[in-house]
Amino acid sequence: MSSTQHTPLPYYEDRSPGAGTLPPRPWTPSSDAARLSLNGTWSFRLSPTATAEDDAFARPGYDARGWDEIPVPGHWVLHGHGAPIYTNVRYPFPVDPPHVPAENPTGDHLRVFDLPGDWPDGGDAVLRFEGVESCARVWLNGEELGTFKGSRLPHEFPVGGLLEPSGNVLAVRVHQWSSGSYLEDQDQWWLPGIFREVTLEHRPEGSLADYFVHASYDHTTGEGTLRIDSDPGGRITVPELGLDLATGESATVPVEPWTAETPRLYEAWLTTVGESVSLRVGFRTVVVEDGLLKVNGRRVLFRGVNRHEFHPENGRAVDLATMRRDLVLMKRHNINAVRTSHYPPHPAFLGLCDELGLWVIDECDLETHGFGVLDWRNNPVDDDRWTPALLDRAERMVERDKNHPAVVMWSLGNECGTGRGLSAMADWIRERDPSRVIHYEGDHSCADTDVYSRMYAPHEEVDLIGRRTEPPWSDPELDAKRRALPFIQCEYAHAMGNGPGGLSEYQRLFEAHERCQGGFVWEWIDHGFTRRAPDGRFYHVYGGDFGEELHDGNFVCDGLVFPDRTPSPGLIEYKKVIEPVRIEGAEADGADGAGGADGAVRITNGHDFADLSHLAFTWTYEAEGEAIGSGELAVPPLPPGESVELKLPAPPPGAEAGAETWWTVEARLAAATAWAEAGHTVAWAQLPAAAPGAGARALASGEAPRREGDRIVLGPGVFDAATGALTSLGGLPVTEPPRLDIWRAPTDNDNGASWQPDERWGVIWRRLGLHRVRHRTDAVETTPDGALTVRTRVAPAAVDIGLETVYRWTADAAGRLSLAVSVTPLGEWPCPLPRLGLRLGVPAALGDAEWFGGGPGEAYPDTRTAARVGRWALPVDELQTPYVRPQENGARIDVRWARLTAPDGSGVRIEGDPAFWFTARRWTTEQLDAAEHTPDLDPSNDTVWLNLDHGQHGIGSQSCGPGVLAEHRLNATSAEFSFTFSRLT
C-alpha cells in the first residue's frame, strides 16, 4: 500500500494571512502612551530567492557592516536594488496559486535601536508595521515574532518581554512574492519593501485594546447621539458639548453634523486607567433609503476621484505633507469624494479627510484581476481555503478605520470576480459595522452590496440606469434588489493622457437622475517615476522603462495630476464640470437671457448640505477680452437645491461700438478655509452680452495678383508660381507654407484599449494612412476678381478616399492677406477625421503668443467647459501640455484672432471666420507622434509650427472607457472656413 506525503508549504506560500500577530485595533494618532519611531536608515541585503540566505542575520551580534543601507519607509527597487514592475491585470509570474516563483527577490532589513531613557517601566509593548509588501517575517533580539501578509494593512506583535534598554536588534525579512501577491493584483507598480512606518508602542496596564466611536445624527431633530465602546472601559469627555460619560453609555445632544461640505469635528478624550487618547468625533448617519444613498437625511452626489498612493520618487512611501497636498488640491478643484483604490490608504490620509471634508469609500486590500484572463479559474475569492486570508484583510481594514466619519462605505475590493469569500467578507463587515454601506463593483447582481456600482458604463447606459430601466438581471429577486439600489460609477472618465472627454455629459445625467449619485474619475495621479535625461531635463518613466518582461506601458499614467502633482487640463475641466454652484443666463424684464442691459443671471446652489453664505459673488464686464467694469452681486444664502434670478447691472461705458462683450460671474470663498485662501474661485460662468458687429471679419479683397518670374505676388504675400505655396508675408519668411492638415498625434484615448468593443479611431486613422497623406496640386489660377486660387487633392496612399481642397487667396491695400478654404470629401470615409484645418510654419523667433478666445488652457470639443473667453498671452513653449507620453495637446478653442510675435514686436496676426482652434509648438506633429517621452521632443531652432483648425475630433475616454460621443466626432463632410493674415512690424 502506497501513500503520498505532502511537504508543508513555506510560510510565504501558504494561504494563511500569517501567524503571531495581535488582533487588529484602531489607528490612534494621539495617545499619551510612549512611542518610538523606528523609521530611518536600516541595513539591507538583497537575495535573489526566498531561501538564498539563512536567518543568522536576526541574531544579536551579527556583523552587517558589509551590507548596504536603505531608508524605511521605502522600496528597495527605488534605491538601487532591482527594478519596479508595472502590470495592470496580468500577474508578472506564473499563475499557480498559492505558489510563487523560485526567483523571489528577498530583502533582509536590520535595525539596531536603544530605548529612550524615559521609556516607561512595566506594561507591555507592541511592534507595529503599517505596510510591508508583500510578506514579512520578523525577529526581535533573535526571537521570531511571526509572519504576515496583507501589504497595505497594519500588523502588530507583542514584544514587551523581549526589549532591552539598548542594542535591540530588529530583523525583518521581506519577500517580493508570496501567496498574498495573488490577492494584490491592483493595477499599480509592484514595489516590495517596508513602505510605511515601523513603530514601537508602549502598552501600559489598562491601555486600550479597542474602541469604537458611534456618533449618529438625527436630521429631524438636529441632535447627535454619541456612544463609545472600549476595551477596557473608561470615560469620555467632550468639553464643547458638556459631555462626561462612561464608555458604553449613550448621550443625545444638539450638534452640528459632519459632512464633506461642513466637516464639523468635536474634540473628545477617551481615558482608561492606563491610557488617554484624543479623538475627533463627527456626527453623521449613512443609510440607503427610498432607493437613495443618504447622509444625514439628504441624497449626496459624489464628485469623486480614485486615488492610488504614489510619489514620483518614493513610490507608495507617501509622507503626510504630500497627502495633505493631494487633498487640498482635490478640495480646490471641487472634488468631494475619494475611493481608496484598491486598498486602505495610509491611516493619516483618512484623518485628513475627516478634517478637510471628503466622502471616502475605503477599499479592502484585495484584487485578483489576473484570474479574469483565465476565465476566473482557481480564483481565490471563490476558494474556501483562502477565506481566512480574505476575512483577515476585511477585519484589519474595518478595525483600523472604523472611527473616521469620512468613511461612508466599505468596499470589499476590486475586480475579483465573484465568490463565497466576498460574501463572507460582506457578512462579517455588515455584522461588525451596520452603520455604513457596503460597496463592490465586480458583481453586477449586487448580491452582497448596498449600492449598484459600475465602471465606465457609457452615457446611454447611465441614462437607462437612472430611469431604472436597465436590462434585467437573470435572477428576478436579485434584479428587483438591484433596481432598488442607488447607482454610482466607482470608475469612469479614464484620465489617461489628453482627456478625459465627455465629463459634462456624465454630470448632466448624474444631476438629472436622482438614482445616479455621481462617480469617481479614474484616477488622481500619473504614476510616472522621475528620471533625468542626459541633457539634464527631468521627465517621467512608465511601464517598460525598467526592462520588465511583462508590462502595460503608460497605462499607469492615467491621472488628473501629473506625477509632480501639477494639475492637468483634465483636472481643470473636472473642476468646472462638477462645480457646486450653477450660474446661468436668465430672463429678466423681457430680456432674452443673453445678458445685456436688461439681462439677468440664475444662481443655483448645487451643494448637498451647505448654503451659499460662505461665498461672495462678483461680476465683470469685458469687451474684446478686456475688463471695463466689475462689481459685487448680492446673492442670498440659498439653501441646497434652491435657485434665484438676479438682474445684472447696466453695462458700464467704455466698450467700442461693435465690440464683443461678455459678463463673467464668479463665486469665490468669502473667507479662508483649511484648504484655500479667501477669494478662491469655486464656480464661474460667462454670459454673452453683445456679439461683434457685422462684417468684423470680412475677407480682405481688392488687390490683384501679379506674376514675377517663378513667383506670384498678391498684396503682402509671395507665392511659388508652380505650386501656389505661400513663401513669405510682408517680408516675413513662411518656413512651411499653409496647407490642409488632418493628422494629430493620437492621444491615449484615440488609440483606445485592446479590449474595447467600439471603433478605436487612432488605430483606424493610422491603418488608413492619415499620418502620411500626400498633397497634389492640380491647378494654380489667377482670376479676374483678383484672387489666387490653388486646387489640390489631399489623400493617403493605397486607398481611394481623399479631400478635394481649394485655397482662394485675396489681398487688400491695407496689407491684409486672406485665405478661404473649401474642403470636399472624396469617396466613402469610414471614420471621422482627427482634425481639419491648416498647418504652417513661421520663424522660430516668433515665440510669444497672444489670442482672443478660449483659454487659458487647452480645450477640445468634449473638454471645453473650462475654457473662458478672454484675451490671453503665453510663450509658445508654455502652450504645450507635458503629458508623460507625448500626444496631441495644446489647442486653444474658439479663437477669434491670434498673433505670434518676436521680442521686437514683429510678427503675424491671424483672424479666423468662424472662430478656430489655435495650436503653436516648436516641433512637428510627426515628431510629437514619434516621441515616447518628453525629452524625445527637440525644439526647432528654425520654426514654430501653427495649426489653425476649423474642427477637431473629440477626446472621449476610450483608453479604458467610452469613446467620443457622436456629437463630438469630426465627420468627413464638406467644410468652408477662412483666415486673414496681417504682418506685424
Side-chain angles (χ1 to χ4, degrees):
M1 185 173 182
S2 63
S3 64
T4 302
Q5 187 171 6
H6 294 281
T7 303
L9 292 172
Y11 64 91
Y12 52 85
E13 283 192 325
D14 68 32
R15 295 176 181 84
S16 78
T21 57
L22 291 167
R25 63 188 177 103
W27 183 68
T28 306
S30 179
S31 166
D32 63 357
R35 296 183 179 182
L36 175 65
S37 170
L38 298 177
N39 297 342
T41 301
W42 290 44
S43 298
F44 178 77
R45 174 183 67 189
L46 182 65
S47 302
T49 70
T51 57
E53 303 286 349
D54 60 29
D55 58 8
F57 80 104
R59 301 169 194 158
Y62 181 85
D63 185 358
R65 286 178 295 179
W67 287 23
D68 293 319
E69 292 184 336
I70 196 170
V72 171
H75 303 279
W76 69 69
V77 292
L78 300 183
H79 294 279
H81 304 278
I85 300 169
Y86 168 60
T87 61
N88 170 26
V89 175
R90 299 171 296 175
Y91 290 104
F93 47 79
V95 180
D96 181 24
H99 304 288
V100 295
E103 299 86 356
N104 188 359
T106 296
D108 288 334
H109 300 69
L110 199 60
R111 173 83 150 88
V112 179
F113 66 94
D114 300 335
L115 294 180
D118 59 354
W119 189 261
D121 294 327
D124 201 350
V126 298
L127 181 64
R128 183 178 176 94
F129 295 86
E130 298 293 348
V132 181
E133 182 177 329
S134 73
C135 175
R137 185 181 179 189
V138 185
W139 297 262
L140 181 64
N141 292 331
E143 293 291 327
E144 182 170 352
L145 303 180
T147 64
F148 62 86
K149 311 180 189 89
S151 299
R152 265 71 59 181
L153 294 162
H155 296 85
E156 291 181 329
F157 297 98
V159 297
L162 299 175
L163 290 172
E164 301 290 346
S166 61
N168 292 283
V169 177
L170 176 57
V172 185
R173 174 163 286 172
V174 180
H175 305 287
Q176 174 156 17
W177 309 123
S178 71
S179 58
S181 302
Y182 286 102
L183 306 179
E184 297 172 3
D185 186 25
Q186 293 151 318
D187 184 14
Q188 60 177 341
W189 293 99
W190 299 88
L191 298 172
I194 305 173
F195 66 93
R196 289 183 185 160
E197 292 81 0
V198 183
T199 312
L200 182 68
E201 300 187 10
H202 184 239
R203 308 309 297 145
E205 288 288 338
S207 61
L208 284 160
D210 186 28
Y211 58 94
F212 198 162
V213 178
H214 306 276
S216 61
Y217 178 72
D218 186 338
H219 65 281
T220 64
T221 65
E223 292 179 320
T225 299
L226 177 66
R227 186 186 87 247
I228 299 181
D229 300 325
S230 73
D231 177 19
R235 294 203 68 79
I236 302 296
T237 56
V238 189
E240 192 173 356
L241 297 176
L243 294 179
D244 185 344
L245 63 155
T247 56
E249 294 180 354
S250 296
T252 300
V253 292
V255 297
E256 298 174 47
W258 187 97
T259 75
E261 296 167 5
T262 56
R264 181 66 159 95
L265 295 170
Y266 291 88
E267 294 293 330
W269 278 262
L270 167 58
T271 303
T272 68
V273 294
E275 184 178 17
S276 180
V277 300
S278 66
L279 307 174
R280 297 190 299 181
V281 176
F283 291 88
R284 56 106 185 95
T285 296
V286 184
V287 297
V288 171
E289 181 180 74
D290 303 323
L292 300 175
L293 176 66
K294 297 180 180 180
V295 179
N296 300 340
R298 296 188 63 90
R299 168 191 183 261
V300 296
L301 183 61
F302 295 113
R303 302 170 169 94
V305 292
N306 287 272
R307 175 188 176 269
H308 269 296
E309 292 185 304
F310 184 76
H311 187 282
E313 295 173 354
N314 303 326
R316 279 189 290 281
V318 180
D319 60 278
L320 184 64
T322 300
M323 296 179 215
R324 181 177 285 275
R325 183 181 177 190
D326 276 345
L327 289 173
V328 165
L329 271 174
M330 290 178 194
K331 293 288 288 188
R332 288 179 179 175
H333 289 86
N334 294 328
I335 290 164
N336 72 356
V338 176
R339 175 178 174 232
T340 68
S341 51
H342 297 294
Y343 43 83
H346 189 289
F349 181 82
L350 299 177
L352 292 172
C353 291
D354 294 339
E355 172 191 332
L356 297 174
L358 285 102
W359 310 114
V360 175
I361 299 180
D362 197 356
E363 192 147 271
C364 196
D365 191 11
L366 177 61
E367 181 171 338
T368 63
H369 203 174
F371 289 91
V373 299
L374 305 174
D375 296 324
W376 299 108
R377 292 189 302 275
N378 299 315
N379 185 9
V381 305
D382 200 28
D383 182 337
D384 293 336
R385 294 173 295 176
W386 291 85
T387 299
L390 303 183
L391 288 172
D392 180 77
R393 289 171 183 247
E395 184 177 353
R396 290 185 183 279
M397 171 183 70
V398 171
E399 299 297 357
R400 191 196 76 168
D401 298 341
K402 63 195 175 190
N403 296 320
H404 291 282
V407 176
V408 293
M409 290 191 226
W410 300 117
S411 179
L412 303 180
N414 184 67
E415 293 175 319
C416 295
T418 60
R420 300 182 299 276
L422 292 170
S423 298
M425 293 169 68
D427 290 344
W428 184 91
I429 293 173
R430 194 169 276 116
E431 181 177 354
R432 177 59 171 148
D433 180 24
S435 71
R436 294 176 172 93
V437 299
I438 293 179
H439 168 272
Y440 177 65
E441 181 273 339
D443 182 2
H444 294 173
S445 78
C446 301
D448 296 316
T449 67
D450 301 309
V451 295
Y452 178 28
S453 179
R454 289 288 303 281
M455 292 181 182
Y456 309 105
H459 299 76
E460 58 270 22
E461 185 178 1
V462 172
D463 188 40
L464 291 175
I465 294 170
R467 301 175 190 275
R468 302 187 192 268
T469 58
E470 68 268 25
W473 194 250
S474 56
D475 183 313
E477 185 176 346
L478 287 175
D479 183 62
K481 176 193 175 186
R482 190 181 74 173
R483 288 181 191 277
L485 297 180
F487 173 73
I488 65 168
Q489 287 250 59
C490 69
E491 293 181 21
Y492 82 112
H494 199 248
M496 186 175 177
N498 187 335
L503 284 170
S504 58
E505 290 82 1
Y506 271 124
Q507 194 66 21
R508 283 198 292 269
L509 291 168
F510 298 158
E511 293 173 358
H513 298 304
E514 195 175 44
R515 183 190 189 188
C516 296
Q517 296 193 236
F520 297 77
V521 168
W522 186 268
E523 66 155 302
W524 174 242
I525 189 169
D526 285 341
H527 302 199
F529 285 112
T530 303
R531 185 178 288 180
R532 186 192 288 267
D535 63 2
R537 284 185 287 174
F538 287 100
Y539 66 108
H540 296 102
V541 296
Y542 45 79
D545 288 327
F546 294 94
E548 301 103 303
E549 181 181 52
L550 291 177
H551 67 85
D552 287 298
N554 70 312
F555 202 74
V556 77
C557 294
D558 45 16
L560 290 170
V561 297
F562 296 127
D564 64 0
R565 286 174 163 79
T566 299
S568 76
L571 181 58
I572 306 304
E573 175 78 357
Y574 194 40
K575 174 185 178 179
K576 175 61 180 163
V577 166
I578 61 175
E579 58 190 15
V581 178
R582 190 159 58 251
I583 305 170
E584 305 165 295
E587 301 282 343
D589 298 332
D592 62 5
D598 294 322
V601 62
R602 179 185 297 108
I603 309 291
T604 302
N605 182 3
H607 290 90
D608 296 325
F609 298 93
D611 64 24
L612 296 188
S613 59
H614 65 294
L615 299 176
F617 289 78
T618 60
W619 61 264
T620 304
Y621 189 76
E622 299 171 347
E624 297 294 320
E626 299 285 352
I628 59 174
S630 62
E632 296 181 357
L633 191 65
V635 177
L638 295 173
E642 296 297 315
S643 299
V644 66
E645 292 187 9
L646 301 170
K647 188 174 180 179
L648 292 166
E656 295 182 6
E660 182 178 348
T661 54
W662 290 81
W663 298 96
T664 299
V665 178
E666 294 187 85
R668 300 172 179 266
L669 289 179
T673 69
W675 46 269
E677 297 296 324
H680 166 80
T681 299
V682 173
W684 61 272
Q686 289 186 302
L687 312 174
R697 298 189 187 126
L699 296 182
S701 62
E703 181 120 350
R706 65 184 186 277
R707 288 184 175 268
E708 296 180 356
D710 61 355
R711 65 182 194 165
I712 297 173
V713 178
L714 176 60
V718 177
F719 300 80
D720 182 282
T723 64
L726 179 68
T727 59
S728 71
L729 175 71
L732 179 74
V734 178
T735 58
E736 181 176 303
R739 65 180 186 180
L740 191 74
D741 192 13
I742 60 172
W743 180 243
R744 73 183 188 194
T747 67
D748 293 315
N749 287 305
D750 288 336
N751 287 331
S754 60
W755 61 83
Q756 289 287 2
D758 300 326
E759 299 93 344
R760 298 163 59 200
W761 297 126
V763 176
I764 294 172
W765 294 339
R766 200 176 296 277
R767 187 184 304 143
L768 280 173
L770 301 192
H771 60 303
R772 48 172 175 77
V773 296
R774 297 290 182 262
H775 299 254
R776 186 185 75 207
T777 302
D778 291 334
V780 179
E781 306 165 343
T782 57
T783 57
D785 61 354
L788 171 65
T789 301
V790 181
R791 303 182 186 279
T792 70
R793 187 178 191 275
V794 180
V799 294
D800 61 354
I801 58 173
L803 298 164
E804 182 182 78
T805 308
V806 179
Y807 308 92
R808 187 175 186 273
W809 294 93
T810 57
D812 65 13
R816 302 192 310 163
L817 184 67
S818 292
L819 170 61
V821 182
S822 174
V823 180
T824 304
L826 303 171
E828 296 294 325
W829 280 78
C831 62
L833 299 173
R835 70 180 344 133
L836 181 68
L838 296 182
R839 165 172 146 175
L840 69 151
V842 298
L846 306 188
D848 291 306
E850 184 180 5
W851 71 98
F852 175 42
E858 73 180 27
Y860 292 82
D862 53 352
T863 65
R864 61 177 297 157
T865 310
R868 293 197 196 203
V869 175
R871 190 164 176 169
W872 311 101
L874 282 173
V876 166
D877 297 332
E878 294 183 23
L879 293 174
Q880 317 312 309
T881 302
Y883 294 112
V884 174
R885 186 193 73 81
Q887 56 198 273
E888 165 64 31
N889 73 89
R892 268 57 181 184
I893 199 170
D894 289 337
V895 174
R896 284 74 161 159
W897 59 258
R899 63 183 186 183
L900 276 292
T901 56
D904 63 3
S906 63
V908 61
R909 176 186 167 103
I910 305 163
E911 299 171 66
D913 189 15
F916 59 99
W917 272 273
F918 167 66
T919 308
R921 55 174 69 104
R922 296 189 182 275
W923 39 77
T924 66
T925 298
E926 291 76 18
Q927 290 169 324
L928 185 62
D929 187 13
E932 297 292 335
H933 301 89
T934 53
D936 297 338
L937 295 166
D938 290 321
S940 170
N941 294 322
D942 304 317
T943 300
V944 169
W945 280 272
L946 307 181
N947 276 95
L948 315 174
D949 290 319
H950 174 65
Q952 276 269 359
H953 185 62
I955 297 298
S957 187
Q958 203 173 4
S959 54
C960 192
V964 177
L965 292 169
E967 59 266 35
H968 300 307
R969 295 177 184 175
L970 181 61
N971 294 318
T973 59
S974 297
E976 294 185 353
F977 50 94
S978 61
F979 299 98
T980 297
F981 302 86
S982 305
R983 176 78 160 93
L984 302 175
T985 57

